[in-house]
Amino acid sequence: MKSRRMKHEGVLHTALSCDDILCNILIRLPPKSITKFVIVSKRWLHLICSSSFRHSYLSRWRVGFNLLGFFVCNSLYLGRPKGGARRPRSEPALPLLSSSREGDDLKFSGVLKKLGYFIDSSDGLLLCGRHPKTYFIWNPITKQQYKLPHPRVHFEELCMAFIVEDSPDDEICYRVVRAKCESRFEEVYVVTIETFLSKISTWCYSKLRCSSTISLSPWTSGTVIGGVIHWYAAQGNIAIYDPYQHEKHIALVKLPGPFDFDEQVLGESSDGCLQYGWSCKAGLQIWVLEKGFDGYSSLFSTNEQSSLSWSLRYKLNFKIMWRKNPTLATKCVTRKETEILAFSPQDSKSVFIRSGSSIYLYHIGSGRMEVIQYQGRGSSILSDFSKVVPYFKRAWPQSTLCCGRNSST
C-alpha cells in the first residue's frame, strides 16, 4: 500500500515537472483559479506569466480587466496649431485620475511628466507624445519607455490607433497607425496612413481605398476590436480598417440615427461586436453592429457600402436612473450634466457615466450605480474640451522575469 502510494506520488511529481504536461493541466482551469497558482514556485510563476502560456490561455478563456484610473485629454493642446492655446505650466500634460494602488504608483512615479500627452492605450501599454513627430510607448511591466523613430510623412491633421498584438513569443509586439484626415469639403476616396511595426522598428507608408468619399475625424483615437480599427468619420459614419487584410481597403458604416449628440463612445460588446453609445440631456442609447455569418469580413470584400445593421440593445432615461439611485442623486448637484463616458472592455453589462466631476459605473441589468473613487477630483475634468478616458490593464499575473528580449518597451 505504502509503496503503491509512493509510486503514485513519483509519477505525479514527474508529470508536474514537465512544462508541457503542467501547461496542459493549467490551461483547463478558470481565470479565478489560475492566478492563485503563481505563488506555488518561481517556475510556476514564470510559466503562467510567459507570453506563450498567456497566448494559449486567452484563446480559450475570457479574462477581465482592472481599472487603474482615468486619463484627462485636452483637445486644445493635442495637435495645437501655431498660435494656438498653450498649456499653463501649472496644468500637467498627462493628468491621471487614479482609482487603484497601481494607478497611484504610476501617478507619483514621475514617469508621466516625460511622456507628453496621452494618445491611447492597449492592454496596459501607453501611447503618448506630441504631434506630429514625437511618440513614446510606456510598458507598465518593465516600467520603461521606448521612443519611436520620427514618422516619415507629415500630416497636418491626423487620427491614430494603437494595437498590442497577442504574440506567443516573449517579445511584446505592437503597431501604431497614423491616418491623415483630409478636408471634409473635398471628395476623397483614399486615406493615407503610416504604420509603425515594432517587429521591424520602422514606419511603413500605404494608402487605403474606400468605395465612397471619406473624411476621418481629426485628433481622435481608434477603437480596436480583434485587431480591427474603428475611427469616427464625417457625416455620421464609422470607418473600419483591418490592418491584417491583404487588400488595402477601408469601409464606411453609417451610425444609427442622428449623429450630433452631446457624447458618443465606441467599445466592444461581450459577444465581440462593435457597440456604439450616445447620450443627450434626456438619456442614452446603446447600439450594436450585428455580425453576419462571416463576421465583418463582408465589409472588405465588396465595393458597395455594407448592409450590416445596427440593433438597439439598451435605452436609459437619466431621470429614471437617478430615481432608482436616490442616495447618489442627493449627493450629485450637477445631474443636468450627466453623459455617457465609456464602455468597460468586452462588456455589455455596465457603462461608465460622468456627471460633473463624479464618475459612476452603471450596471445595466440591475439599474444600480456605483461611485468610482479616484484621486484628483476637481476642476481638471470640468472643461468642455476635456475628454476622460479610462485606463485598463488585463487582470493577468505579470512578472519582470518574463519581459523577454523587448525589455526596452
Side-chain angles (χ1 to χ4, degrees):
M1 183 79 176
K2 185 176 180 180
S3 60
R4 184 183 300 175
R5 188 179 67 181
M6 290 179 63
K7 183 178 181 180
H8 174 73
E9 291 177 353
V11 172
L12 181 62
H13 181 269
T14 302
L16 294 179
S17 298
C18 175
D19 286 351
D20 291 340
I21 296 177
L22 182 58
C23 285
N24 206 17
I25 295 172
L26 294 176
I27 204 170
R28 288 168 166 77
L29 300 177
K32 288 185 178 180
S33 300
I34 196 68
T35 56
K36 299 177 182 179
F37 288 106
V38 296
I39 62 174
V40 172
S41 66
K42 286 185 177 180
R43 173 172 163 261
W44 284 43
L45 170 67
H46 186 276
L47 189 147
I48 293 173
C49 294
S50 67
S51 296
S52 56
F53 180 79
R54 182 177 183 267
H55 175 79
S56 301
Y57 193 88
L58 294 181
S59 64
R60 178 179 293 211
W61 295 90
R62 184 179 289 269
V63 178
F65 293 80
N66 292 330
L67 175 67
L68 274 61
F70 301 85
F71 283 106
V72 182
C73 318
N74 195 316
S75 57
L76 285 175
Y77 312 136
L78 187 64
R80 180 180 66 87
K82 290 184 178 180
R86 287 185 173 273
R87 176 178 56 85
R89 289 183 177 272
S90 58
E91 185 178 334
L94 192 51
L96 174 62
L97 310 177
S98 172
S99 61
S100 64
R101 180 176 295 180
E102 190 170 352
D104 293 344
D105 293 341
L106 173 58
K107 180 176 181 177
F108 297 111
S109 66
V111 68
L112 297 181
K113 297 179 181 179
K114 307 174 183 178
L115 300 177
Y117 297 100
F118 174 83
I119 298 175
D120 202 358
S121 68
S122 178
D123 207 7
L125 271 71
L126 291 179
L127 170 63
C128 305
R130 289 177 173 84
H131 292 312
K133 291 184 178 181
T134 307
Y135 302 106
F136 297 95
I137 303 294
W138 187 78
N139 189 326
I141 305 175
T142 63
K143 312 298 182 185
Q144 292 181 336
Q145 68 185 49
Y146 173 69
K147 184 177 180 180
L148 273 60
H150 283 176
R152 300 175 178 179
V153 184
H154 174 75
F155 297 150
E156 194 68 31
E157 290 188 324
L158 57 93
C159 57
M160 298 190 71
F162 181 36
I163 307 173
V164 173
E165 299 169 329
D166 191 16
S167 172
D169 303 322
D170 284 337
E171 183 178 5
I172 295 176
C173 299
Y174 56 85
R175 61 177 65 202
V176 177
V177 183
R178 302 168 72 244
K180 184 179 181 181
C181 297
E182 302 282 359
S183 170
R184 63 185 62 193
F185 301 106
E186 299 178 6
E187 289 192 2
V188 179
Y189 294 82
V190 174
V191 175
T192 304
I193 67 169
E194 196 175 18
T195 304
F196 177 82
L197 303 172
S198 63
K199 291 182 179 180
I200 57 177
S201 296
T202 190
W203 291 92
C204 301
Y205 176 90
S206 57
K207 290 189 175 184
L208 310 177
R209 303 202 172 273
C210 187
S211 57
S212 55
T213 57
I214 182 171
S215 175
L216 301 179
S217 300
W219 316 123
T220 58
S221 295
T223 298
V224 179
I225 300 176
V228 179
I229 302 170
H230 305 77
W231 282 303
Y232 285 111
Q235 303 300 316
N237 287 301
I238 292 294
I240 304 179
Y241 164 53
D242 186 350
Y244 303 97
Q245 289 274 350
H246 294 296
E247 295 184 6
K248 298 296 182 181
H249 183 74
I250 187 168
L252 285 180
V253 174
K254 197 76 174 179
L255 288 171
F259 49 88
D260 55 349
F261 300 109
D262 297 338
E263 275 300 318
Q264 302 176 81
V265 296
L266 296 174
E268 182 180 1
S269 65
S270 301
D271 50 359
C273 295
L274 173 67
Q275 60 182 358
Y276 163 69
W278 62 259
S279 67
C280 59
K281 292 182 179 179
L284 64 81
Q285 289 187 10
I286 298 175
W287 296 74
V288 172
L289 184 63
E290 300 292 351
K291 291 183 177 181
F293 68 93
D294 58 347
Y296 295 146
S297 298
S298 58
L299 286 170
F300 310 103
S301 59
T302 178
N303 293 324
E304 300 179 358
Q305 195 166 9
S306 172
S307 59
L308 293 176
S309 61
W310 294 88
S311 63
L312 179 63
R313 285 205 176 173
Y314 191 70
K315 188 176 181 179
L316 173 65
N317 184 293
F318 285 146
K319 286 185 178 180
I320 296 176
M321 178 190 74
W322 289 115
R323 284 178 198 158
K324 289 184 176 181
N325 296 270
T327 304
L328 296 179
T330 55
K331 295 180 180 179
C332 183
V333 295
T334 56
R335 283 180 284 165
K336 292 183 179 179
E337 301 176 12
T338 306
E339 60 188 22
I340 190 170
L341 179 66
F343 291 115
S344 296
Q346 301 175 357
D347 186 8
S348 303
K349 299 179 180 178
S350 59
V351 61
F352 288 98
I353 291 176
R354 166 184 164 185
S355 185
S357 61
S358 298
I359 299 176
Y360 305 92
L361 184 63
Y362 178 77
H363 300 276
I364 293 175
S366 63
R368 182 176 61 87
M369 295 176 69
E370 173 187 344
V371 180
I372 304 297
Q373 303 292 346
Y374 65 86
Q375 290 193 13
R377 183 179 299 273
S379 60
S380 58
I381 65 171
L382 295 180
S383 168
D384 292 336
F385 299 98
S386 294
K387 183 175 180 61
V388 182
V389 182
Y391 175 39
F392 294 98
K393 195 171 76 169
R394 196 180 293 275
W396 186 261
Q398 295 169 335
S399 171
T400 54
L401 298 173
C402 308
C403 295
R405 294 168 292 162
N406 204 10
S407 59
S408 61
T409 62

